[in-house]
Amino acid sequence: MRNLYCRLIAALSFFTRLPFWRLTVVPKEYYERVVPLWPIVGYLTGGLMALLFGLTTSISSFGMNMPMSVSILLALLFRLLVTGAIHEDGLADFCDGFGGGGNRQRILDIMKDSHIGTFGVLGLIFYYLLLYNLLVNMAEKLANVAWMAVFFVLVDVFCKWVASTIIYFLPYARTESESKNKLVYAPVSNKEKLFSFLVGVFPFLFLSFFDIGVWLPIIIATFVSMMFAAILFGYMNRKIHGYTGDCCGATFLICELAFYLILSSLLGGF
């Protein structure tokens, strides 16, 4: 029980800026095993997004007019603050490295550089432009605050699980001394893989409360996001023969974007 507690605190401390590290001293080896618990963090980050979205949209009940588009923007900003933009930093470095680097070593060197380049800036701009517009479109189609709140949690948790599987298929591309965080994630046991999977798909139980017209778009979006992850894994393996921490963050955000892209496009079409 102590082992699970320390690993959970390590995961929450690593993937968010919230002061969970104050609760207990966590040895380094627990941080090496945080990836299978990454989906659990999605319940916190997605849940806080859903909570803020629900609170800001309910302001209208008190005579104030808060546009749903503003509520969505505030929810996205809130997640940025909670995570410290750790995933966005990964996406920017990923775009810079794979966009500007020619060979394996050049890509790894660029991704390790703390400065953001042209490809990184463009990647973040297009990511948030697409994500914001997709979420606004979804909100208009659903016209249901509760459903949007569920999607904030479901997509965050599931796509974190999808991204976490990168360590099942690829080796770490650097040595421990070369990594940004000075750690290499430990191999994952079959028991950990099963636990992580169950945590990642648990929010889908809420589908039983949805109208049947929503199920098919969600199922299609699920497979498309996994397909994007598989393509990314293959691309990373070909270019750098493995993955880095930046690749993990980039995979999560790209899979999340793919999920919302399909969901937003297909809602109301079945």
Side-chain angles (χ1 to χ4, degrees), residues 245-268:
D246 291 327
C247 293
C248 294
T251 300
F252 163 61
L253 293 182
I254 293 171
C255 289
E256 178 187 56
L257 191 63
F259 199 112
Y260 280 125
L261 177 63
I262 298 303
L263 202 55
S264 177
S265 301
L266 296 181
L267 279 176

Side-chain angles (χ1 to χ4, degrees), residues 157-257:
V157 172
F158 178 74
C159 290
K160 279 184 168 65
W161 171 74
V162 173
S164 74
T165 65
I166 192 172
I167 67 175
Y168 305 169
F169 305 106
L170 299 177
Y172 193 68
R174 295 189 176 107
T175 62
E176 181 176 332
S177 60
E178 295 172 333
S179 67
K180 287 183 179 180
N181 298 305
K182 302 304 178 185
L183 63 86
V184 175
Y185 301 126
V188 183
S189 67
N190 290 331
K191 185 182 296 186
E192 289 175 315
K193 291 178 182 178
L194 177 60
F195 175 78
S196 186
F197 168 74
L198 293 176
V199 171
V201 300
F202 179 77
F204 285 86
L205 294 178
F206 290 103
L207 293 182
S208 58
F209 298 104
F210 284 89
D211 181 87
I212 194 169
V214 184
W215 295 355
L216 188 55
I218 293 175
I219 293 171
I220 295 174
T222 298
F223 283 101
V224 169
S225 65
M226 290 192 292
M227 180 186 70
F228 266 77
I231 293 172
L232 285 170
F233 295 168
Y235 181 64
M236 294 170 197
N237 189 48
R238 182 167 64 86
K239 298 293 287 186
I240 62 173
H241 313 308
Y243 76 94
T244 66
D246 291 327
C247 293
C248 294
T251 300
F252 163 61
L253 293 182
I254 293 171
C255 289
E256 178 187 56
L257 191 63

